[in-house]
Amino acid sequence: KAGVTQTPRYLIKTRGQQVTLSCSPISGHRSVSWYQQTPGQGLQFLFEYFSETQRNKGNFPGRFSGRQFSNSRSEMNVSTLELGDSALYLCASSVAGVVRDQETQYFGPGTRLLVL
Amino acid sequence: AQSVTQLDSHVSVSEGTPVLLRCNYSSSYSPSLFWYVQHPNKGLQLLLKYTSAATLVKGINGFEAEFKKSETSFHLTKPSAHMSDAAEYFCVVSSLYSSASKIIFGSGTRLSIRP
């Protein structure tokens, strides 16, 4: 069974631009969560989607948004990029909800975003 | 509110000796606790999880952790370190009932193994 895939793997943007990252979960998984990893702040939970609905949300500004499609694929969007948004963005999938059901998450390799 | 503290940013042990990675948590509600491992240039992998069942949890690769409510700790141990254990380890607390962030990662502990 194929693992979680994320595209693109690397991305360079400039301040003020917006970016969309994509995540394809493991087949049969309905929950997709997004995380931001930086050297300064560590790993932080962004949000979780389940059956096309945002179920849980971390403490990030509204510039960070996401959505999930009927095939469970998910996209994350960051608008008006700031230098501090440079990070590794990780996506994880699970069969059911990661927060409510404490399901095991399977992580993708991440998308490394550099904002100049 | 909930939080998690990994007490050591870096731990170095000799191959074949025990490993202890320390984690303390704070949660107003019954938490679920996890340990993840991240090898260089690889994604995160779940080692084990505690979800209010047995307090001693066994995970993959010989790792285990004990949930101690009185000490608010969830330390990760392994009897004998192997070179392949060198990686970054994250302790995670999660609670559906937290009004703030539902999932919180510790700052990580880098484990080095000496030959």
Side-chain angles (χ1 to χ4, degrees), chain A residues 57-113:
Chain A
K57 190 175 186 302
N59 297 322
F60 277 80
R63 298 187 298 108
F64 292 82
S65 63
R67 59 177 175 169
Q68 187 180 33
F69 302 94
S70 57
N71 62 357
S72 294
R73 189 178 70 85
S74 177
E75 288 182 347
M76 190 192 88
N77 185 274
V78 187
S79 62
T80 320
L81 283 166
E82 301 176 359
L83 295 179
D85 296 333
S86 295
L88 179 67
Y89 289 89
L90 293 164
C91 161
S93 77
S94 60
V95 175
V98 63
V99 176
R100 190 191 72 178
D101 303 299
Q102 306 305 322
E103 286 275 338
T104 295
Q105 296 182 89
Y106 296 87
F107 281 80
T111 293
R112 191 165 293 280
L113 171 65

Side-chain angles (χ1 to χ4, degrees), chain A residues 9 33 35 37 42-45 56-59 88 90 98-109, chain B residues 32-34 36 38 41-46 49-51 90 94-96 100-107:
Chain A
R9 293 293 312 278
S33 297
Y35 300 86
Q37 187 174 25
L43 268 158
Q44 294 181 282
F45 170 66
N56 292 292
K57 190 175 186 302
N59 297 322
L88 179 67
L90 293 164
V98 63
V99 176
R100 190 191 72 178
D101 303 299
Q102 306 305 322
E103 286 275 338
T104 295
Q105 296 182 89
Y106 296 87
F107 281 80
Chain B
S32 293
L33 295 155
F34 307 79
Y36 283 87
Q38 187 176 34
N41 299 316
K42 290 192 177 181
L44 284 148
Q45 181 183 22
L46 180 68
K49 64 180 179 181
Y50 165 77
T51 56
F90 295 93
S94 172
S95 174
L96 175 64
S101 185
K102 306 296 185 183
I103 299 175
I104 296 179
F105 280 73
S107 54

